[in-house]
Amino acid sequence: MRIIGIDIGGANTKIASADGKIIELHYIPLWKDTTLPESLEDIATELKPDMVSVVMTGELADCFEDKLEGIQFIMRSVDEAFDCKTMYIDSNGHFYDEDSSLRELAAANWAASTRLIGSEIGDCIFVDVGSTTSDIIPIKDGKHVAGLTDFSRLVRSELFYAGTLRTNLAYLLDKVQVADGHCNISSELFANTADAYLLLGDITEELYTCETADGAGKSKTDTMRRLARVVCADLTEISPDDIYNIAAQVKERQISHLCETISVVAEKNGLNRIVSAGLGEFMIKEAAKRMGFECISVAEKWGNEISKVFPAYAAARILENEISQPGKE
């Protein structure tokens, strides 16, 4: 039986099979004239799954009037694309049924991840740095003890709205150190975190899946040009060393912010072990090292590609386990 998990975000839709042999990432920005229905139909035709397990975060996209409209659009797109049984995981990590509120499906991808982590690893802080956001989720007695909405998790420092690719550098920094001194930065979307991490060698061009800020390419020169604009300069006004230093300061600030938010969650819940996942595992490992916390890498345990799409993989595994052990959902 082929079981696949699908994680439908605002920017990326991720696919994974329960056996880990199928791993796909599709850039499908929902806030534009989205191709989600057509893309899901193509995925269904190609993969021909027997069952599908779905988690989502894309309902927050500002093309929808509210989250409920977003949830309904995503569910309709999935249900019309697949002719097999489809199931949805809510923010408690359980499968949705008609007695539940649809709104419980909002922003629930992390709940699938933590259910699998809780059952296979145990108490820890699950940290997943993806393309757009960072989840910092406490797990105790095998279950997450986090807020059930993005709003509540932001209040509790369990969600840090910065990621490895799509974050505007103005969110992370207000000044940078350059050869001429401390320099204010512009608040325009001239560059994103993907530019910094591509230049530093932490990601490859293939992993730079989102659009660039200026619509140009993803070469080293393109990346440096965008980073120069962050301080309102071009490549004739600022040195390559300064541009590399700007990228390094982006990385340092994001790791520091991760340390700060993890510390809040750790102190509140009495936890000092991290499980790291996502495209930004390199940042999580460094944060754990600085804090003196044990760090278990999803990439090392399940594979590097699975780590990048872990909520989709977790959704598939949860459904597989439910089928093999019915009644234990």
Side-chain angles (χ1 to χ4, degrees), residues 308-329:
K308 296 169 190 169
V309 298
F310 193 66
Y313 175 71
R317 284 283 310 279
I318 290 168
L319 180 52
E320 180 184 58
N321 292 341
E322 170 65 11
I323 293 169
S324 63
Q325 303 178 56
K328 294 191 176 182
E329 197 278 317

Side-chain angles (χ1 to χ4, degrees), residues 280-316:
E281 270 208 60
F282 63 93
M283 287 184 272
I284 305 167
K285 291 176 181 178
E286 177 59 27
K289 180 180 178 181
R290 294 183 187 185
M291 300 173 72
F293 283 9
E294 177 189 0
C295 185
I296 299 171
S297 165
V298 165
E300 294 173 8
K301 181 175 177 60
W302 280 291
N304 192 50
E305 296 307 308
I306 286 176
S307 177
K308 296 169 190 169
V309 298
F310 193 66
Y313 175 71

Side-chain angles (χ1 to χ4, degrees), residues 87 172 272:
M87 300 181 71
L172 293 169
N272 60 4

Side-chain angles (χ1 to χ4, degrees), residues 127 129-130 134 160 162-165 172 193 197 202-203 250-256 258-259 262 276 278-290 295:
V127 185
V129 178
S134 301
F160 169 32
T164 313
L165 302 182
L172 293 169
T193 43
Y197 297 127
D202 292 312
I203 64 169
V250 170
K251 183 176 181 178
E252 174 59 30
R253 181 64 189 113
Q254 193 161 5
I255 292 172
S256 295
L258 272 175
C259 289
I262 291 169
S276 62
L279 189 59
E281 270 208 60
F282 63 93
M283 287 184 272
I284 305 167
K285 291 176 181 178
E286 177 59 27
K289 180 180 178 181
R290 294 183 187 185
C295 185

